[in-house]
Amino acid sequence: MNTQGIISKEELLKNWQGHRTLTRRVIEKFPEKDLFEFSIGGMRSFGDLVKEMLSIAVPGLESIVSNKIEKYDHNLPLKTKEELLARWDADTPKIEMLFNQIPVDRFKENFKLFGEYEFPIVENIQYFIDNEIHHRAQGYVYLRGLGIEPPFFWDRY
């Protein structure tokens, strides 16, 4: 029986960082005011969605690496586009550093992320990526609603 995985740890990280590169470009496309005020159908602003992404990725990895279950808080004190982008940029190397501290054999280990969701670590990491893709898609809808052409969804590097 072949037990080799389809995607390596390194490829998973590269995939995630590619998504982060694209999400950053989506953030950049927003006019400052609309980033924090524009919404469609009662959804949160894209600025608030970005704060959620920021409150999940690094804190989630820190929790996994330290093996300590921590609660999360989406109410980050970031009020400008510049602050969101600065935090995004600061978190990107932290993600790589923390991700690389997780041994491959832990990826199948169950972990109760944020004290709420108990899944294998690899599924928690996939949740971080899926959550970002989901919220980035909302950002695409908002940009279209504002008459702004979003970046190509496939251009992640």
Side-chain angles (χ1 to χ4, degrees), residues 104-117:
V104 172
D105 59 339
R106 279 199 70 204
F107 275 60
K108 295 206 184 288
E109 178 184 309
N110 279 350
F111 187 80
K112 194 168 189 175
L113 187 66
F114 304 121
E116 296 183 23
Y117 315 105

Side-chain angles (χ1 to χ4, degrees), residues 115-128:
E116 296 183 23
Y117 315 105
E118 186 164 349
F119 295 103
I121 287 172
V122 69
E123 291 181 29
N124 285 320
I125 291 168
Q126 189 62 53
Y127 164 75
F128 302 158

Side-chain angles (χ1 to χ4, degrees), residues 10-153:
E10 293 77 20
E11 290 166 326
L12 179 60
L13 177 60
K14 180 181 178 187
N15 180 49
W16 186 6
Q17 295 290 35
H19 281 291
R20 287 184 58 80
T21 297
L22 178 54
T23 300
R24 189 188 195 289
R25 287 203 300 273
V26 172
I27 298 166
E28 288 175 327
K29 286 275 191 174
F30 272 85
E32 179 89 22
K33 181 179 184 289
D34 295 321
L35 181 60
F36 294 96
E37 294 180 12
F38 186 79
S39 77
I40 295 174
M43 294 188 294
R44 293 176 286 162
S45 73
F46 192 61
D48 284 340
L49 299 175
V50 172
K51 288 179 190 181
E52 178 183 316
M53 291 181 246
L54 289 168
S55 71
I56 289 174
V58 168
L61 286 174
E62 286 173 338
S63 189
I64 291 166
V65 167
S66 69
N67 212 28
K68 293 181 183 172
I69 297 171
E70 304 283 343
K71 294 287 185 185
Y72 63 91
D73 179 10
H74 296 328
N75 296 315
L76 302 178
L78 306 171
K79 300 193 182 318
T80 67
K81 181 175 171 177
E82 183 179 337
E83 290 174 331
L84 284 179
L85 288 170
R87 173 71 180 271
W88 195 266
D89 292 344
D91 280 6
T92 297
K94 289 179 187 174
I95 287 170
E96 184 166 344
M97 184 259 309
L98 290 163
F99 184 91
N100 286 326
Q101 291 179 47
I102 305 169
V104 172
D105 59 339
R106 279 199 70 204
F107 275 60
K108 295 206 184 288
E109 178 184 309
N110 279 350
F111 187 80
K112 194 168 189 175
L113 187 66
F114 304 121
E116 296 183 23
Y117 315 105
E118 186 164 349
F119 295 103
I121 287 172
V122 69
E123 291 181 29
N124 285 320
I125 291 168
Q126 189 62 53
Y127 164 75
F128 302 158
I129 299 167
D130 291 345
N131 184 66
E132 180 176 330
I133 293 167
H134 163 72
H135 288 316
R136 184 176 66 232
Q138 289 174 273
Y140 273 66
V141 171
Y142 288 1
L143 288 172
R144 293 279 187 198
L146 291 165
I148 299 169
E149 181 77 21
F152 295 120
F153 76 91

